[in-house]
Amino acid sequence: MRLLAAAFVLALLCACAAPGKAPSLVEARPGSGLAARVANAAAADPVPMAQALRRSLDYVRTKPQGAQAFGPGGPECTWAGLAASLEHMLEVLPRLGGDPGLLEREFVWREVRPEPLMTGYYEPEFEGTLEPDPRFPVPIYGLPANLQTVDLGAFHPRWKGQSLTCRVEGGKVLPPFTREEIDSRGALAGAQPPVAWTRDIVDVYFLQVQGSGRLRLPDGSVRHILYAGKNGHEYVSLGKVMIDRGLVPKEEMSMQRIRQYLREHPDEVTDLLNTNPSYVFFRIADDGPLGAMGRALTPMVSVATDSAFLPLGSILAVEAGLPQPGGTAEPTAFLGLAQDRGGAIKGSRLDLFCGAGEGAEFLAGHLQATSRVFFLLKKQDAP
């Protein structure tokens, strides 16, 4: 869905925690019946789980099978080892309901340390059109043709792993337009046809935060709006800006609270949104949402991770308290799959894809839970 995965949620909500310890994987027993709870959750709805496992397996099989899947400091595990683990999980899935102990017996469990903070993202839905219409004045832009991303490592080894996003005009390399230049000064108007239009610029902002969404057209049909790229400017947290300005107390911060403030203070919307120069571009598709693997995401299964730590295709057992209306949290355990990544997802952080609709919006907007997370590998393939 996004190289953001859309997962700017933590930065949006409260931002900038101090750097912590480097994440690691430590072999550990799940204990307290956690393995059985995860197995029972997977067995309770096996069809979407099997589909999600096959999507991960399809992706992992495209990688060099003899190459290491993890970066420095990670376990000695090849892409072939990840593929074998996914294949084995598909094999045991139909048996988990009758024998939930299979997960603990047949997989090595490595716990993620430090305990990850889990946030959520979702697929917002709003009304719009694919043709100009005075009822829908706000443009949703596609990726500009003159926006280029350059691999700086190709020019000098000291820049290995770094890239530069720029726009090329008249043979000149220029900085990409900022949000203020695009939305307030019309920098793309006339030069870049929108891919769609909608009513509210705040909806577009939150679409950019999430990384994808659903556009309900006037005839009632729905099209998916998918991530196509970004302008390369640094992301600035709107939530942090509002906290720093004293507009919303930190303890009240959520996506819903930001929307409420913007709705109640329309004269401040432009200034507040423009504090974030980062801008996301989209494309229209019939299917979605898609994760970083280029495959469909599964609600309450697909997770965005820092793939430098937990590579795409990883099988995860997760335990966390999910927020409920009324301020309570429901203890939950489930089998998750690393199928997305996000610009704000670093280290041990996780971002759970919550789906679409009001329930998904509530969960994504309020989920900030310290979680227990284990990486699972088929025992005979574990080093």
Side-chain angles (χ1 to χ4, degrees), residues 123-140:
E123 192 181 22
E125 181 176 313
F126 46 89
E127 294 182 337
T129 178
L130 303 180
E131 303 292 338
D133 187 319
R135 297 173 298 170
F136 302 100
V138 179
I140 300 172

Side-chain angles (χ1 to χ4, degrees), residues 168-200:
V168 181
E169 290 186 6
K172 294 182 179 181
V173 176
L174 302 170
F177 291 125
T178 64
R179 178 177 301 277
E180 181 178 2
E181 290 172 313
I182 295 171
D183 284 346
S184 298
R185 303 184 195 174
L188 296 182
Q192 180 69 25
V195 297
W197 289 260
T198 188
R199 288 194 174 97
D200 189 350

Side-chain angles (χ1 to χ4, degrees), residues 101-299:
L102 277 171
L103 277 191
E104 190 170 7
R105 294 198 307 270
E106 302 200 15
F107 290 85
V108 173
W109 291 55
R110 287 187 172 87
E111 187 166 6
V112 174
R113 303 280 177 81
E115 288 188 332
L117 175 68
M118 187 170 71
T119 53
Y121 64 106
Y122 78 111
E123 192 181 22
E125 181 176 313
F126 46 89
E127 294 182 337
T129 178
L130 303 180
E131 303 292 338
D133 187 319
R135 297 173 298 170
F136 302 100
V138 179
I140 300 172
Y141 284 111
L143 188 68
N146 65 350
L147 195 67
Q148 304 291 325
T149 298
V150 180
D151 177 9
L152 295 180
F155 294 87
H156 197 284
R158 77 179 69 169
W159 297 322
K160 183 178 180 181
Q162 300 183 54
S163 61
L164 174 70
T165 301
C166 57
R167 58 188 172 94
V168 181
E169 290 186 6
K172 294 182 179 181
V173 176
L174 302 170
F177 291 125
T178 64
R179 178 177 301 277
E180 181 178 2
E181 290 172 313
I182 295 171
D183 284 346
S184 298
R185 303 184 195 174
L188 296 182
Q192 180 69 25
V195 297
W197 289 260
T198 188
R199 288 194 174 97
D200 189 350
I201 196 170
V202 175
D203 284 338
V204 177
Y205 186 89
F206 278 91
L207 172 68
Q208 294 178 333
V209 169
Q210 299 304 318
S212 73
R214 298 183 182 192
L215 190 70
R216 185 166 294 279
L217 302 178
D219 64 3
S221 63
V222 174
R223 301 292 297 276
H224 290 272
I225 311 174
L226 303 183
Y227 174 88
K230 57 182 178 178
N231 65 352
H233 283 284
E234 183 178 359
Y235 180 84
V236 174
S237 162
L238 177 56
K240 186 176 187 300
V241 169
M242 295 174 73
I243 290 170
D244 290 346
R245 292 185 181 183
L247 305 180
V248 176
K250 183 176 180 179
E251 60 272 14
E252 294 182 12
M253 183 52 66
S254 69
M255 279 193 301
Q256 287 78 4
R257 188 67 178 85
I258 293 174
R259 277 191 176 274
Q260 178 186 342
Y261 185 91
L262 296 176
R263 187 167 55 249
E264 293 173 353
H265 301 83
D267 56 320
E268 299 179 35
V269 168
T270 298
D271 173 62
L272 285 170
L273 298 189
N274 285 344
T275 61
N276 178 18
S278 177
Y279 204 90
V280 176
F281 304 102
F282 297 96
R283 61 186 178 90
I284 302 298
D286 293 326
D287 299 312
L290 304 180
M293 298 190 307
R295 291 157 175 82
L297 298 173
T298 302

